[in-house]
Amino acid sequence: MAVYKVTVATGDMVEAGTNNSISITLVGSYGESRQTTVSFLFLPGKERSLSVYCGQDLGPIVLIRLHKWRLFLEDAWFCKDVRVTAPNGTLYRFPCYQWLEGVTTVEVREGSGKKLVDDKLQILKEHRHRELAARQEAYRWKNFAQGWPRCLSVDSIFELDSNIQFSRIRATNFNGFLIFQGASHFLSGFLLRRTSWNSLDEMRTIFSRTQGRDIGGCLVHCPLPSP
């Protein structure tokens, strides 16, 4: 009997946890384990540990499969990573960093950064082909108009997978910054101004108040040109 120690980590962002059922299958070069339930409750920023029992040594662990099942209501889950410790003490890391939605199975490759020529096992070659096909389906292109650059073939960003959409946290930060900037310009008399500028110095007086803002962790400095 071979016993594998598994640790599953949930991301620490808002709503990353789930109360749906999550199970895991270990795939090694000699075989794969049975599907084993991890938990029915995951909290943001927390980890779940379990033991996976196999009738024989699976060899080097090359893939894991994460299975998500809806119990009552759909509850998306953000998996940070999975760590597997083999009976001989070898630690395998599987960085996931993606949302799992609905009833789905996600395959995650062991995070050693191998190239295509390094895939000796047939199961790894098949996984790479499936991954490429999924990317091609997700990133389909269309012509917006004659002479314009091509764009994604969707009518709304909500048609995209959550892992492709713009981060909700970053979008909130940008919206908050826009509200702050709008309020600043309103209070400084910029938005409701009905007369022309008297000079560049007057423009510099207003816009200098917004110089050096911290936008998303990056300090932005926009000096006005000298007259």
Side-chain angles (χ1 to χ4, degrees):
M1 178 71 69
V3 181
Y4 293 82
K5 303 298 183 181
V6 179
T7 301
V8 181
T10 299
D12 58 359
M13 68 278 295
V14 178
E15 299 181 354
T18 184
N19 56 15
N20 285 181
S21 174
I22 304 296
S23 56
I24 189 171
T25 301
L26 307 181
V27 181
S29 55
Y30 301 156
E32 61 182 66
S33 70
R34 293 183 297 176
Q35 184 174 320
T36 305
T37 300
V38 180
S39 178
F40 296 93
L41 177 63
F42 289 83
L43 299 177
K46 302 298 183 179
E47 296 182 346
R48 288 282 186 176
S49 298
L50 71 150
S51 297
V52 176
Y53 299 90
C54 303
Q56 62 178 7
D57 184 6
L58 301 178
I61 307 300
V62 295
L63 283 175
I64 61 168
R65 298 191 186 103
L66 293 171
H67 314 275
K68 179 176 175 294
W69 301 90
R70 184 186 301 119
L71 295 180
F72 301 103
L73 299 176
E74 163 58 16
D75 191 12
W77 175 54
F78 187 89
C79 177
K80 179 183 176 183
D81 60 26
V82 176
R83 301 184 297 277
V84 179
T85 303
N88 62 4
T90 302
L91 176 63
Y92 300 94
R93 298 180 181 274
F94 297 85
C96 186
Y97 296 98
Q98 60 180 301
W99 289 96
L100 278 68
E101 297 179 322
V103 177
T104 185
T105 296
V106 173
E107 292 183 329
V108 182
R109 180 185 290 255
E110 197 266 327
S112 56
K114 295 182 179 180
K115 302 185 293 295
L116 176 62
V117 295
D118 299 323
D119 291 342
K120 306 302 182 182
L121 297 176
Q122 183 62 29
I123 190 171
L124 291 179
K125 296 178 182 179
E126 294 173 355
H127 171 263
R128 196 178 290 272
H129 289 154
R130 290 193 298 269
E131 187 178 51
L132 177 59
R135 293 290 181 88
Q136 291 173 337
E137 175 65 22
Y139 296 99
R140 291 174 289 114
W141 299 97
K142 68 178 180 181
N143 290 322
F144 178 74
Q146 185 66 30
W148 285 62
R150 292 197 299 170
C151 60
L152 281 176
S153 182
V154 293
D155 296 325
S156 169
I157 61 172
F158 298 107
E159 297 180 19
L160 299 173
D161 185 87
S162 295
N163 298 295
I164 304 175
Q165 293 181 24
F166 194 69
S167 168
R168 287 176 288 181
I169 297 176
R170 181 163 295 182
T172 301
N173 290 339
F174 273 112
N175 290 334
F177 176 75
L178 290 176
I179 294 173
F180 174 80
Q181 285 291 72
S184 298
H185 289 161
F186 176 79
L187 294 175
S188 64
F190 172 67
L191 293 181
L192 300 181
R193 187 180 183 90
R194 300 179 181 274
T195 59
S196 301
W197 303 106
N198 295 321
S199 65
L200 278 177
D201 289 334
E202 185 180 3
M203 293 179 63
R204 187 176 293 107
T205 300
I206 291 180
F207 284 100
S208 63
R209 301 177 186 178
T210 61
Q211 294 182 35
R213 300 298 187 194
D214 185 2
I215 307 176
C218 299
L219 188 63
V220 178
H221 182 73
C222 304
L224 291 173
S226 300

